[in-house]
Each structure stands twice: as C-alpha cells, then as structure tokens.
Amino acid sequence: MSTALSRRGFLGLVGAAGAAGAAGSFGLAGCGRDTTGQTAQLLTSLGPTPRPYAVPLPVPAVKKPLRSDATTDYYEIVQRVADVEILPGLRTPILGYDGTFPGPTLVSRSGRRTVVRHRNTLPVPTVVHLHGGHTPPDHDGYPVDLLLPAGGWNPGTGHGHGAGHGASPTTGSMAGDVRKGVRDYAYPFHQRAATLWYHDHRMDFTGAQVYRGLAGFHLVHDDEEEALPLPSGERDVPLMICDRAFEEDGAFRYPALDRELRSTPGVTSAYMEGVLGDVILVNGAPWPVMEVAAARYRFRILNASNARRYRLALDPGPREGAPFVQIGGDGGLLEHPLDQDTIVAAPAERFDVVVDFSAYRPGTLVTMVNQLGSGPTARVMRFRVTGRVKDDSAIPARLARIEKLDPAKAVRTREWRFSRGDVHGEKGWTINGRPFDARRMDARPRLGDIEIWRFQADLHHPVHVHLDPFQVVRRGNRGPGRFDAGWKDTVDLRPTEYVDVAVRFTDYTGPYLLHCHNLEHEDMAMMAAFATT
Ligand SMILES: [Cu+2]
C-alpha cells in the first residue's frame, strides 16, 4: 500500500474521531503515518460498541497443575472453540485455551520444570509459543511444528494464492515436527522471574488465531523477587491489553483472506500494514473498571494487540509522585525502579509497573488512557479508588542484579533489515529483503558469544527474538530509549530507525526465530530463522 493510501486512512480516522487532538499531533510530527504512532489500519466494528467502564476487570484464573513431582509440575490445556460474552448481550465465538480468553494464567517457579500438555480440539492447527521462555527448540513452538486438530485436518487447496506467502508451507514442503491431537510442551525454566505469555504461533495464521483468542499469561517467580516487599497477592494484577473489532452479531471482525484459516495466509491488502480494532479490551473485557484500595498495586502490562502501539497514561495523574513506577520489563525486574509519566508499549512488550493509589483521594476515578488513540481507542480502562487500607508494600531502590552484556566484548555484528518487500511475487514483509523460509538459517550464533544485532526498520516493527533476551545498546546515535531498560525480548522500532542490541544465546542449540511481532507482518513473511550452535 502506498503512503498516500495510508494517509487517507489516517485522515479518515481523524474525521471520524475527534480532529482536535489528532490534528495537533499531526502538526507536531508532520507525517500522517507517524502521528498515529502506528503502522496499521483501523478496522471499525459494525455494531454498537459498549459503554466504557461498565464491566468489572476480569482476572484470568490461575491454572492448577494436574500433578506435581519432585522436579516438575504437569498441566493440561484443552484448546477449544467457545462462545464468550465480551460485548454485553452478544456471544463472541473464540478459539480459546480451555475455552477462555485470555487463557488461564500459568504460574511457574524458576528452576522447576513445567510440562503443559495441549490438546487441540479446534478446527485448525496450532503451535504454542511461550513468549519470553528460555526453551529448548523442540518445545519453543517453531511455526511449522504443528499440533493438528484431534478431529483431523484437511487443509484443502487454497484460493488461487499460487506460490503465495511462504508457498502455503503449512501444507507441504516445509513440514516440521507435526503431531495430531496432543502435544507436550516442556519448559525447564532456567530463567529469572518475569511476566511471560503464551500464544499461538502457527505458520501463516498467527495473527488470525491470536486475534480469535489464543493468548494467556505465564508468570515465573523466583527467590530474588519474592524477597522484595513489592505489592503481591490481590495487588499483583496482570493486564492483557488488546484491541479488537466486532461484527454486528458479536463475532470478532478480522480481514483474513481465508476465513476458514485453512491455506491462504495474510489479510486483505488494505490491512497488510496491520489490523487495529476500535474496541480496547483488558483481560478480554471492553474498557473495564477495577475497584482499587488507596494502596500500591503492581500491574503486569502486556500489549497483546496484533499491531497497535499504546502510550498509556493516568488521568488524572497522582497528586505527587510518578504515575507509573516501572519495576520490570520483558525479561523481569529492572535493576532500579524507573519513574515513568507514560508507558509506550509496542505489541508483545511487557511493563511491570507499580501505581500508588494512595496518592489519590478515595472516590477518585482514575482513567488509564491511550495517548496514541483517538475517540474510543483513547481510553483503556478505569480505576475507582475506594478506601484507605494498610499497605506494607514498598518499592526498594534496588530491585535486582542484572548482568550487563558488554558490547565491547561482542564477537560480531549482524544486521537485520525489516522492510516491506516482495514475497514470492506478492506484496509482503521481509527481513534482509527475503521472506521467511523455515529451512533457511540466516545466522548461526555460537552459544555463549555476545553479539550485536542491529535491527533496522522502514516503518514500525516490534522485533522479537526467541530463546534469550537482549539488552538495548543504542537507538540510532543515541543511547537506549526510555522504555528499553533491563532485559528485553521485544523492541519497538520506529520508522527509519535502527536499534542495536547485545544478545547472548545460552544452553540450547537448534533452530529459533526472530520476527516482527506485528502479527500481520509476521504472517506475511516477516520472520527469519537462526540456528544456535
Ligand atoms: Cu513489522
């Protein structure tokens, strides 16, 4: 799609949803695409959208293990179709882990093995990836390692997409380690405490299948974190933020080329930059409200959107202190807490923050807003501050020890260019000019080596690396950005920007992925494989 088309989309959005705010930022940045802070297009819902702040914030249930032994906790999740109520009075068919959206929250202990048996009773193949997991390759959810439906699977012949994106690799030549019905994913969890999430990673159809509900939290705890007096228990709350559009009957609206998600990947050309919905969900509920005591809360913010970036802020801000004290990122606790006025989150990024509601008078309504949205997408959720309570929590000045990867010790630099490009004769998204090929290893880093990986972007691309986290060294000719602190596994690249990260892979050899986590880009070939050796 041309820039002109994108700009038209943006102007349409401005016209529909409050010209004043958007026009101001338009002038500031001077470029239509960038002012929205998005590389994506808005898809609007066909029915009425719900009243904001009318439903309580749901918190996904924590899954109990089926059994545990000396070393391992065993879980079983059934992937199934379900109807859930997201919009009041309407049913939304989902693809759900245990039939829920978000899926159940799994909680693991660092150093203790977790085995999750997934049973696929859906009509489509799936792949489970534990995002942020330090996981052996056979269990990492390589996109062609399909778990086929228990009820059988016939992909059909496609829809004339020819040798389209990835040449429909799910059906043929790129066959991976394919199972039918049941698959055990084993996670050693030799890694520190962090907010991880699990989601679908099926070749060519990740965007559509995550959009329909295949995402959940997986939290890892450890001794270092538990020794801290951070808010815990009911005041440690995961927030999965994502946007969706809805059909008139309540079904998710998504512009998949192949409605049955059988053989033709990708979305209609108008949405190939990414799909933005006009309803913001938190833990699966539209613009929910949460009653909070006038005390400190820890929120584990996950941007689980396919393509939408957010700039989160609190309105009103607290009478004193920072609105958000960031204590963690993708890869766990930061070394020191970081005061943040806003949190800018690209798809798949996590931010652990503490909000101190004792800085508000009881009765105050505090809205979490999205400064990159407009109209309905400018709000996220609301907190209603109730009474004062005893609060023993605190935010220590030192949170954790973080080993610094010294860029001077890097043995090499690799460049990864993320750009629009030709994918087997069609428009798509490429890395270093090439579409994904599951058999082609584009790098062979050695375990234990520190490398600098330079990511370059034409537009917004949230770049995610599997197996091990990295540390941001610089953005262009500056140091790391405000939201780059600590261990990261996803970094928010902005148009024409490059970001250098220091990375070191450990423990496991085999094929892994790096890819864009704008899921429409990912499905339209913006992935690359590397093999650790
Ligand atoms: Cu991208």
Side-chain angles (χ1 to χ4, degrees):
M1 183 189 313
S2 70
T3 303
L5 263 178
S6 294
R7 178 165 298 201
R8 203 147 60 226
F10 168 73
L11 291 173
L13 193 153
V14 172
S25 57
F26 186 96
L28 203 66
C31 156
R33 196 200 314 277
D34 194 43
T35 53
T36 56
Q38 313 291 348
T39 296
Q41 293 295 315
L42 184 68
L43 182 66
T44 49
S45 295
L46 295 180
T49 53
R51 199 159 53 86
Y53 323 128
V55 293
L57 174 80
V59 176
V62 173
K63 182 100 177 160
K64 290 200 169 55
L66 281 181
R67 64 190 175 89
S68 297
D69 61 25
T71 60
T72 308
D73 300 313
Y74 299 87
Y75 293 86
E76 180 169 322
I77 287 178
V78 179
Q79 305 172 359
R80 60 184 177 85
V81 172
D83 277 344
V84 299
E85 184 171 330
I86 296 174
L87 306 179
L90 293 174
R91 308 305 291 179
T92 302
I94 63 161
L95 310 179
Y97 295 117
D98 282 350
T100 66
F101 170 57
T105 297
L106 285 95
V107 179
S108 291
R109 187 92 205 159
S110 177
R112 247 186 99 69
R113 202 165 155 261
T114 294
V115 175
V116 187
R117 171 165 294 180
H118 279 267
R119 199 174 288 279
N120 181 3
T121 70
L122 299 170
V124 292
T126 60
V127 171
V128 181
H129 172 57
L130 176 62
H131 186 124
H134 183 56
T135 306
D138 298 354
H139 299 271
D140 191 51
Y142 202 63
V144 291
D145 291 350
L146 302 176
L147 174 56
L148 300 180
W153 170 246
N154 175 4
T157 53
H159 301 245
H161 215 249
H165 303 297
S168 288
T170 47
T171 61
S173 60
M174 289 186 200
D177 174 14
V178 175
R179 311 286 175 85
K180 185 181 171 190
V182 173
R183 179 176 208 123
D184 287 347
Y185 291 91
Y187 305 113
F189 283 122
H190 294 303
Q191 61 186 107
R192 61 202 296 262
T195 301
L196 313 186
W197 61 303
Y198 62 105
H199 63 76
D200 192 66
H201 215 309
R202 176 189 166 199
M203 183 78 203
D204 295 339
F205 295 95
T206 295
Q209 296 192 172
V210 170
Y211 197 91
R212 291 192 192 185
L214 291 174
F217 283 100
H218 196 143
L219 311 182
V220 182
H221 295 305
D222 66 9
D223 296 342
E224 182 184 46
E225 182 189 42
E226 274 182 7
L228 301 177
L230 295 169
S232 61
E234 286 189 344
R235 295 189 199 141
D236 175 356
V237 183
L239 300 178
M240 178 189 286
I241 302 175
C242 62
D243 58 337
R244 295 289 186 270
F246 293 87
E247 306 283 358
E248 203 161 6
D249 64 0
F252 287 130
R253 185 166 189 231
Y254 186 78
L257 284 172
D258 183 345
R259 297 247 149 213
E260 305 291 316
L261 311 183
R262 298 180 75 80
S263 54
T264 307
V267 290
T268 56
S269 61
Y271 292 94
M272 70 169 285
E273 289 197 346
V275 176
L276 304 177
D278 58 356
V279 176
I280 307 297
L281 306 178
V282 186
N283 294 344
W287 302 293
V289 58
M290 179 190 188
E291 293 215 332
V292 291
R296 284 185 203 85
Y297 282 75
R298 173 180 184 168
F299 294 112
R300 299 167 184 264
I301 296 171
L302 158 65
N303 180 356
S305 307
N306 279 29
R308 182 180 288 280
R309 297 170 71 248
Y310 299 81
R311 185 162 69 225
L312 304 170
L314 296 179
D315 178 24
R319 285 178 297 185
E320 58 190 70
F324 302 106
V325 179
Q326 188 190 345
I327 56 169
D330 302 339
L333 291 173
L334 307 183
E335 209 155 30
H336 304 283
L338 197 54
D339 287 356
Q340 301 277 23
D341 287 334
T342 64
I343 297 288
V344 174
E349 284 189 299
R350 283 90 72 212
F351 291 89
D352 269 25
V353 301
V354 173
V355 175
D356 186 356
F357 291 105
S358 74
Y360 293 94
R361 272 181 242 287
T364 307
L365 300 176
V366 182
T367 305
M368 183 187 282
V369 298
N370 169 27
Q371 296 177 343
L372 295 182
S374 59
T377 63
R379 19 178 207 252
V380 176
M381 66 174 293
R382 178 167 279 175
F383 302 97
R384 186 183 301 125
V385 183
T386 60
R388 304 221 173 269
V389 291
K390 184 162 140 49
D391 183 4
D392 294 331
S393 74
I395 308 173
R398 182 178 184 84
L399 295 166
R401 286 171 54 88
I402 291 190
E403 179 198 358
K404 186 153 164 40
L405 296 183
D406 183 357
K409 294 198 175 127
V411 299
R412 67 183 66 76
T413 296
R414 298 184 200 268
E415 290 200 352
W416 305 94
R417 282 176 290 108
F418 290 76
S419 66
R420 195 189 288 283
D422 178 88
V423 176
H424 307 296
E426 311 210 13
K427 283 185 194 167
W429 299 95
T430 62
I431 299 177
N432 290 342
R434 299 202 282 187
F436 180 62
D437 179 337
R439 296 158 303 185
R440 189 190 71 228
M441 297 297 129
D442 287 338
R444 294 186 181 275
R446 276 189 324 184
L447 295 185
D449 281 355
I450 295 174
E451 299 195 354
I452 301 296
W453 284 17
R454 171 166 291 188
F455 304 129
Q456 285 185 275
D458 58 347
L459 299 168
H460 287 98
H461 299 291
V463 173
H464 172 47
V465 179
H466 288 212
L467 181 58
D468 273 287
F470 50 75
Q471 294 173 357
V472 175
V473 176
R474 68 176 68 84
R475 279 185 181 262
N477 50 20
R478 299 173 166 206
R482 264 209 89 63
F483 306 103
D484 294 334
W487 287 105
K488 305 238 347 127
D489 58 47
T490 308
V491 63
D492 179 23
L493 271 98
R494 297 167 301 187
T496 72
E497 189 173 45
Y498 75 85
V499 173
D500 287 351
V501 306
V503 65
R504 179 187 56 197
F505 298 103
T506 55
D507 293 333
Y508 309 117
T509 57
Y512 288 95
L513 288 178
L514 79 152
H515 63 89
C516 180
H517 222 286
N518 174 318
L519 298 183
E520 283 72 46
H521 298 189
E522 174 180 335
D523 284 345
M524 296 174 97
M526 197 172 246
M527 298 197 288
F530 62 92
T532 49
T533 60

